[in-house]
Amino acid sequence: MSRPKFPVLDTERLRLRRFTPRDVEAMHAAFGNTTAMRYWNSPRFKTRAETARVVRAMAKADGPQWWLAWAITRRRDDRCVGMINYHHRDVGNGRLELGWILAPRHQGRGYAREATAAVIDYCFDRLDTHRIEAMIVPENTASIRLAETLGFRFEGGPIRDRWRAGDEYRSVLMYGLLAGERR
Ligand SMILES: CC(C)(COP(=O)(O)OP(=O)(O)OC[C@H]1O[C@@H](n2cnc3c(N)ncnc32)[C@H](O)[C@@H]1OP(=O)(O)O)[C@@H](O)C(=O)NCCC(=O)NCCS
């Protein structure tokens, strides 16, 4: 059986594409970084091998299914700057969750906003999604701001100890965006 076509998404400055082994180094700058991972749902990845294993898994996935991850790359040089994914896609309820991370040196340039807006359009327009969720640790002001600029609304929380990150639990706020509310 032939592989389904991976949904490449282009924006003004970015191409969201399938991961390749070439992206391991760039992704380790995010997954291996203590600051970038401080509000993630797992501890930082201590070794390149751990990042390589996750990049391999992300590279295998084709859409649409219950999760899919895109490498966020710069169109001008194909350099990977981070990752965006949907996960916990529940087709019956028309619902999924988004996750995003950029390597610290690429933050603060509007890349996350550009990439997330494209994925939101894809989820609403091509996956028949009605509701997009983002779970965010209360101290994660950058992610809260990102969600709010894209039209997400704060709906509740902290939901206590929702994530286990190594030997600690993390509480999260629930943000939601319904079809028709996107900016
Ligand atoms: C969240 C993250 C992806 C934002 O990436 P980014 O490319 O720097 O974000 P953008 O430049 O697109 O900015 C989006 C909005 O967030 C705001 N923002 C970005 N960083 C911020 C910060 N540290 N504090 C407050 N606001 C911030 C921007 O000003 C912008 O809002 P505006 O349009 O009103 O000006 C990045 O900080 C990151 O990778 N964090 C670590 C991973 C993480 O916590 N992921 C989420 C787990 S739920």
Side-chain angles (χ1 to χ4, degrees):
M1 214 171 80
S2 67
R3 234 177 160 185
K5 203 166 148 41
F6 187 90
V8 175
L9 306 176
D10 281 332
T11 68
E12 193 187 331
R13 294 176 296 171
L14 305 171
R15 169 158 296 164
L16 277 51
R17 59 153 171 77
R18 186 199 290 280
F19 274 99
T20 79
R22 289 192 315 277
D23 301 319
V24 170
E25 204 58 37
M27 278 317 297
H28 197 61
F31 287 148
N33 185 273
T34 311
T35 308
M37 292 291 280
R38 78 194 136 154
Y39 305 131
W40 202 248
N41 61 356
S42 75
R44 82 175 184 94
F45 299 178
K46 291 199 183 63
T47 63
R48 252 175 206 73
E50 207 179 333
T51 297
R53 191 168 43 76
V54 171
V55 167
R56 263 197 309 278
M58 295 192 296
K60 273 198 198 132
D62 296 296
Q65 50 190 358
W66 79 274
W67 70 274
L68 187 75
W70 286 266
I72 304 173
T73 68
R74 291 193 304 217
R75 282 171 70 159
R76 65 182 154 92
D77 56 6
D78 194 44
R79 190 192 169 95
C80 176
V81 298
M83 183 280 292
I84 181 160
N85 67 9
Y86 69 75
H87 53 97
H88 292 101
R89 178 169 175 236
D90 173 344
V91 176
N93 288 304
R95 183 175 75 212
L96 50 76
E97 284 177 46
L98 293 189
W100 46 63
I101 187 166
L102 291 189
R105 63 182 300 201
H106 300 296
Q107 293 176 9
R109 299 170 200 220
Y111 286 159
R113 192 197 155 102
E114 206 170 306
T116 309
V119 168
I120 287 171
D121 284 346
Y122 173 77
C123 293
F124 281 140
D125 298 339
R126 312 253 298 272
L127 295 187
D128 194 26
T129 301
H130 175 68
R131 171 181 167 81
I132 299 180
E133 298 179 345
M135 308 238 193
I136 306 176
V137 170
E139 295 78 21
N140 191 351
T141 45
S143 285
I144 289 173
R145 183 74 206 136
L146 172 65
E148 287 177 345
T149 60
L150 290 162
F152 282 81
R153 292 196 203 165
F154 170 69
E155 295 180 333
I159 302 167
R160 295 174 307 147
D161 290 359
R162 170 90 185 181
W163 294 341
R164 177 153 64 190
D167 50 14
E168 69 175 73
Y169 284 93
R170 291 182 181 164
S171 302
V172 296
L173 305 178
M174 168 68 86
Y175 281 80
L177 177 70
L178 301 186
E181 288 177 348
R182 68 182 133 168
R183 300 216 172 115

